[in-house]
Amino acid sequence: MQITWLGHSGFRIEIESAVLLIDPWLTGNPMFPADRRDEALAGATHILLTHAHGDHASDAAAIAAEKAIPIACIHEVSEWLNAKGAARTIGFGKGGTITANGARITMVNATHSASIDFSDGGLLPAGSAAGFMIAGEEHVIYVSGDTDIMADMGWMAEYHQPDIGILSCGGHYTMDMDRAAFAARKYFNFRTVIPCHYKTFPILAQDASVLRSGLPPGIELIEPEVLVPLRF
């Protein structure tokens, strides 16, 4: 299994026979090297969107059309994408599980705003934000999506038992490093934590030192490098 950071909240996860693109915002992402786009998208089988904000979803329809792959996301966003002519969508809801080339993907709760961003500055409410539990190859990956700490993390951890946590923790728009460390200590039994939604802009945390110092002994914190695969 491989997890590769695409910068910001974007990831490429190779698990079972699936190549999942999570929130693949590449165009205009200051962390992503534009000349390596083909490498990031090679062999992709599915796109997963946590919510419709532009720094997560703005490239999804174009990538889906280019690669002829489906976009899996909350129902309301899938309906909007269908209306805009997206080739294929898989709309589902929190608590729902889909299978993608052998990987099992369950949508779970996140606490964050959710809207579609328009180029003229307008916003359209679009369902709600979500996270994912991705199971396969004897691992469960928790992709938090944009969220703060929430009590739901307690039952989500107990039920799904994720061993890898990909946590949005740059602060300002999501929980910060200290809050993410608290969530990991209180609710989860991770073996590995990977931070995201940080470094992209000056307003966000620029390193994960606070998260690292707040994690219990025995949890490996990996600060990813863009397009450098992490193998598990």
Side-chain angles (χ1 to χ4, degrees), residues 99-116:
T99 301
N101 292 29
R104 287 177 52 83
I105 302 162
T106 301
M107 186 181 291
V108 296
N109 196 29
T111 179
H112 186 66
S113 61
S115 59
I116 294 163

Side-chain angles (χ1 to χ4, degrees), residues 111-195:
T111 179
H112 186 66
S113 61
S115 59
I116 294 163
D117 304 338
F118 292 99
S119 58
D120 63 1
L123 297 175
L124 176 69
S128 61
F132 297 107
M133 296 286 181
I134 302 171
E137 300 191 36
E138 300 184 353
H139 291 282
V140 178
I141 305 164
Y142 171 44
V143 177
S144 74
D146 285 11
T147 193
D148 188 19
I149 302 166
M150 54 183 176
D152 282 351
M153 289 174 171
W155 72 258
M156 286 159 48
E158 183 177 359
Y159 188 90
H160 291 280
Q161 299 184 28
D163 59 300
I164 300 170
I166 297 177
L167 305 181
S168 291
C169 49
H172 196 79
Y173 299 106
T174 71
M175 58 186 173
D176 61 17
M177 295 290 172
D178 187 64
R179 296 167 80 85
F182 176 88
R185 293 194 308 268
K186 182 172 179 62
Y187 295 118
F188 293 99
N189 189 27
F190 295 130
R191 293 204 296 266
T192 304
V193 168
I194 301 169

